[in-house]
């Protein structure tokens, strides 16, 4: 189920929309934005280990999309949501990858 959701076009588009919200509303720094993302999706703060892991993933995603602008463009064309011209393509794509991970956590998709 987790891999299915990770690759589902609807979940990908939801991650894209969430990434824009993180960028626009999450704060000024990566840490503030990560904290905002966890509070928004999981209704809790991220642990130190989670925050560090997410920061590493964000850095790797940024580097990947800076070196592969066509991949960033392709990622942002999935679904009907159009990326506003005011939002940086590479930054939105990096945050999309991060949002995909958080939206795919067992804690997010499992009902307790």
């Amino acid at each position: 189920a987790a891999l299915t959701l990770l690759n589902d076009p609807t979940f990908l588009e939801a991650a894209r929309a969430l990434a824009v919200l993180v960028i626009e509303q999450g704060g000024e720094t990566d840490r503030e934005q990560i904290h905002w993302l966890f509070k928004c999706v999981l209704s809790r703060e991220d642990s130190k280990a989670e925050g560090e892991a997410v920061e590493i993933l964000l850095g790797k995603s940024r580097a990947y999309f800076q070196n592969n602008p066509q991949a960033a463009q392709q990622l942002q064309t999935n679904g009907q949501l159009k990326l506003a011209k005011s939002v940086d393509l590479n930054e939105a794509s990096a945050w999309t990858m991060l949002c995909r991970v958080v939206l795919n956590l067992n804690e997010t998709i499992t009902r307790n």
Side-chain angles (χ1 to χ4, degrees), residues 74-107:
Q74 183 178 4
L75 180 63
Q76 293 303 323
T77 58
N78 183 296
Q80 297 179 2
L81 179 69
K82 302 297 180 213
L83 187 64
K85 293 184 190 297
S86 62
V87 179
D88 180 82
L89 175 68
N90 292 336
E91 191 70 4
S93 296
W95 277 101
T96 296
M97 299 308 290
L98 193 71
C99 290
R100 286 177 76 190
V101 169
V102 174
L103 288 174
N104 201 52
L105 292 172
N106 281 341
E107 187 176 349

Side-chain angles (χ1 to χ4, degrees), residues 31 34 38 44-54:
R31 281 301 304 136
I34 291 167
F38 270 72
R44 67 169 177 82
E45 294 183 13
D46 53 304
S47 70
K48 182 177 180 183
E50 289 169 330
E52 290 171 355
V54 166

Side-chain angles (χ1 to χ4, degrees), residues 6-46:
L6 187 63
N7 293 317
D8 182 86
T10 303
F11 264 71
L12 177 53
E13 192 166 16
R16 289 179 51 229
L18 182 56
V20 171
L21 290 175
V22 170
I23 292 167
E24 292 178 343
Q25 300 177 18
E28 298 299 317
T29 67
D30 290 345
R31 281 301 304 136
E32 289 174 349
Q33 292 171 325
I34 291 167
H35 178 75
W36 185 92
L37 176 61
F38 270 72
K39 290 290 273 185
C40 181
V41 175
L42 300 172
S43 299
R44 67 169 177 82
E45 294 183 13
D46 53 304

